[in-house]
Amino acid sequence: MTTTTTTTLKESYDNIIVDSSPEGGNGKIAIIKMNRPKALNALNDELFTDLIHATTAINNDTNVRCLILTGSTSKAFAAGADISEMKDKNFEDVYRNDMFAEWQEISKRSTSTPIIAAISGYCLGGGNELAMMCDIMVCTKNAKFGQPEINLGIIPGAGGTQRLTRMIGKSKSMYMSLTGDFMDANEAYTSGLVAKVYDDHDELIKESIQIANKVASKGSISLRACKEAINAADELSLQEGLRLERRLFHSLFATDDQKEGMAAFLEKRPANFK
């Protein structure tokens, strides 16, 4: 007989800070702050191990309906993968260990809880790839986005050539990845990379919590179904995507939240999703 174990949050982590009951939250959201400020939150193996553990635990918690991922400093969300950790590796090292494959554990397809990336300052290379794994990206006016790997003699390796192209189009993605130039917050907004732009880090966190509260007030099953359907649009044909959307739509008629939501609408009262 096999037994399954459920990942639960640790009391503390070395490279991230987890707030499972943030001030201003409605009890249904959590915040993870990447916390390597001296390295501008450069993404090393230890940080990602902490991040995967914490996001898995939060995803398993049915009380949490939305997660915010951010940096612990206004200077950087994450300035990229840790170059000092990679510089001496060779082809066999990175190929045999399938470098960055484990990062996809954070991705929007592996984690069904909606994730908001709240971005201040530098969001470069692996940092931008991590942010694009999330479901909603919001940022401050000082945010800088980029895939500067070309300056190191390599290319993006954790989704930069794929997710960025899907989000902003081929020409802009090519420009950023081939030149290594950065994109500012205004262009990120007009390009559709981010949903909202805020003045500073304090406003960013405050407003991100409000967005998370709004998301978390909805039914948890419908949130996850909606996320699944939208993410599938990247990979499915229109007809197959429409088929999946209909089936997920149909399935929600088996939930109590559908009964409550429609009754509340007809009775002109707020819905109380369970």
Side-chain angles (χ1 to χ4, degrees), residues 86-234:
M86 294 192 293
K87 68 180 182 65
D88 294 326
K89 294 184 182 295
N90 59 33
F91 170 75
E92 184 177 357
D93 295 331
V94 299
Y95 184 78
R96 183 182 295 277
N97 294 313
D98 201 5
M99 180 184 281
F100 296 153
E102 74 279 6
W103 286 30
Q104 305 311 313
E105 294 297 319
I106 310 294
S107 76
K108 48 195 177 186
R109 287 168 183 77
S110 299
T111 306
S112 55
T113 302
I115 305 177
I116 298 169
I119 300 155
S120 288
Y122 293 113
C123 184
L124 307 176
N128 194 43
E129 290 169 315
L130 173 59
M132 291 189 293
M133 292 178 194
C134 301
D135 303 296
I136 300 172
M137 293 169 64
V138 295
C139 73
T140 57
K141 288 181 177 179
N142 78 328
K144 300 290 184 184
F145 302 87
Q147 298 292 159
E149 290 89 345
I150 202 76
N151 297 328
L152 304 174
I154 56 174
I155 68 169
T161 66
Q162 302 302 302
R163 290 192 175 97
L164 187 63
T165 303
R166 285 167 168 79
M167 295 178 78
I168 68 174
K170 176 183 175 181
S171 186
K172 286 193 174 184
S173 178
M174 280 283 194
Y175 179 83
M176 290 178 68
S177 295
L178 295 182
T179 66
D181 286 357
F182 298 166
M183 176 183 283
D184 64 20
N186 181 63
E187 187 176 0
Y189 176 75
T190 58
S191 298
L193 185 61
V194 301
K196 297 283 185 180
V197 180
Y198 301 108
D199 286 337
D200 54 38
H201 189 72
D202 289 342
E203 184 184 16
L204 172 75
I205 299 304
K206 178 182 177 181
E207 293 298 326
S208 294
I209 289 172
Q210 292 308 307
I211 296 171
N213 283 340
K214 184 177 290 187
V215 170
S217 70
K218 316 303 182 187
S220 62
I221 301 301
S222 57
L223 285 174
R224 294 181 180 216
C226 190
K227 173 173 174 171
E228 180 181 350
I230 292 172
N231 286 334
D234 282 345

Side-chain angles (χ1 to χ4, degrees), residues 17-57:
I17 300 169
V18 180
D19 188 346
S20 57
S21 184
E23 183 179 355
N26 58 9
K28 300 176 182 178
I29 71 173
I31 299 177
I32 296 177
K33 297 179 181 179
M34 292 175 284
N35 190 37
R36 296 186 71 211
K38 292 182 179 179
L40 296 179
N41 297 327
L43 302 169
N44 63 1
D45 288 343
E46 288 78 12
L47 189 154
F48 239 89
T49 297
D50 287 350
L51 198 54
I52 290 170
H53 187 279
T55 54
T56 301

Side-chain angles (χ1 to χ4, degrees), residues 9 19-21 27-31 57-68 112-114 216 220 223-224:
L9 284 173
D19 188 346
S20 57
S21 184
K28 300 176 182 178
I29 71 173
I31 299 177
I58 289 168
N59 192 53
N60 290 336
D61 186 346
T62 57
N63 293 317
V64 179
R65 298 188 187 176
C66 193
L67 169 64
I68 298 169
S112 55
T113 302
S220 62
L223 285 174
R224 294 181 180 216

